Amino acid sequence: MAPKHLVSVLLVSGIALAAVSGWPQIKENPLPALVPQAAAQTPPLAPITEAQITEQLRARLERVKSAMAKAETPQMQAALIREFDFVSRVLAAPAAGAKQATEDRSLLTEVMGAFALPPPEGAEDAAAALAAGNIAESAPAFSAIRAQAEADIRRAAMAAFALGRIAMAQGDIANASGFFRRAADLDARYAYVKAAQATALQLGNTEAALALSNPVLQTALTEFGEISAERAEALAQVAQVLLIAQKPADAEKLLREALAVGEKATGGKDEAQAQRLNNLAAVLRSAGYAEAAEPFYRQAIAIDRDAPDGVYPETATRLANLAELLVATGRAAEAEGLYESAIKATRQAQGPTNPELALRIAALADLRRGLGKTEEALPLYLEAVEVSRVSLTPEHPEFRARLDRIAGALRSIGKDPEAERLYRELIELTQGALGKDSADYARALNNLAQLLASGDRKPEAEGLFREALAVLTKAQGAESADAKQVAANLGAMIAKQP
């Protein structure tokens, strides 16, 4: 049996599946109806342009990249990585970023104006009447105070929501979730409750998200009615929570209801409906009903084709989902064209450096490798590396992970020179980021040694194996699984030598 890599060379399509299947990132725009009113009552501000947003985001990205190279602790590095990923996603969709910034600015303008209020009218009279024991005459003043207090509570809720939006703009989902929950507790509006549930879900707090399911459904029904786009949206979001909570039957029921409501409310030809179809297909597929799921994927893609530009932001995800289903059901050849369309849609809707693009290119490379088209797979793997280099930058840990996976894929199709180049870059980047004493550095050495040992460069491979073993022994101990594996790899190579 051939010695194993320390880091399993997973099929790159496995990475792609994680990115394209299941649920897309939650996208919400839960702004109160007060914003247009606020805009009318305040001096007009100059419109925010995509160019402004792009310039700001690029400058911020450069600052984050610089800070990543100097991060002193794992916690600082993790926080910077989260910020980098957030800014990259917003930068990939500048129009959406400009729209959200415009709406948030209007909201904050109203919040600032709302708090510049005089004390409640009648407060002094109420106090005097109460002190005199004249309860009846104090009642009207108390009514005014109550109305003012309730207005203050609503403004406080709006302020909490605005603070949540600021935290979201900073990529700080944890603080955003807390502010949204406070807003919902003060004033159970659909926008607030929905945002609180969405961020709880993003944080992995399934219990909190489940607890908000009924409020989300009830506020959508109360504020917008039984047949409305908002109620269809609420049904779909709660279905997502139920699926994550391992309740697929309940999720399927709500998604089917969401589809019916969306059909009546908007005609069922918009992107929201396409996404609901995609999500229902994902539920059915995860339950083992691939045959039932396929028509829903295809209906979603049919809606996409009627989009103004032929694609929506999530069109590529839906194309890739159907491609994965076809691969899983033994129709890999049919999936090839869908992957090509997914790559084209990603470039068209989200730009040439979108973080998802490299994953889809790598998925197509894996597919062609599986079909025996190794010469066609090679340029795709190399393109996936270069797109990742731009979208992630070499400082990102995921870039190193992709180098390792793609190098392994290249080695599996006999492209050893290209694989060696990637392994050597991986070693250099790992040394720079983590140092020569890290276990990851040792694993990278081992994987390159494996490649060299399979050819006629065994002395060089032996040196790498021994260095990797020394690092792992010091970092993890001689009895660690990694150290034992390197020792076994070295022994197997020596045993084969004449």
Side-chain angles (χ1 to χ4, degrees), residues 298-309:
R298 294 192 182 278
Q299 288 177 51
I301 292 168
I303 291 175
D304 290 334
R305 292 197 181 102
D306 293 331
D309 296 321

Side-chain angles (χ1 to χ4, degrees), residues 323 326-327 330-340 364 367 371 373:
L326 294 177
V327 171
R331 292 175 285 169
E334 294 179 50
E336 189 172 4
L338 287 168
Y339 272 130
E340 291 173 342
L364 178 57
L367 179 69
L371 293 171
K373 301 178 179 181

Side-chain angles (χ1 to χ4, degrees), residues 127-147:
L130 185 61
N134 193 339
I135 306 301
E137 289 187 13
S138 69
F142 276 124
S143 296
I145 292 171
R146 175 181 174 180

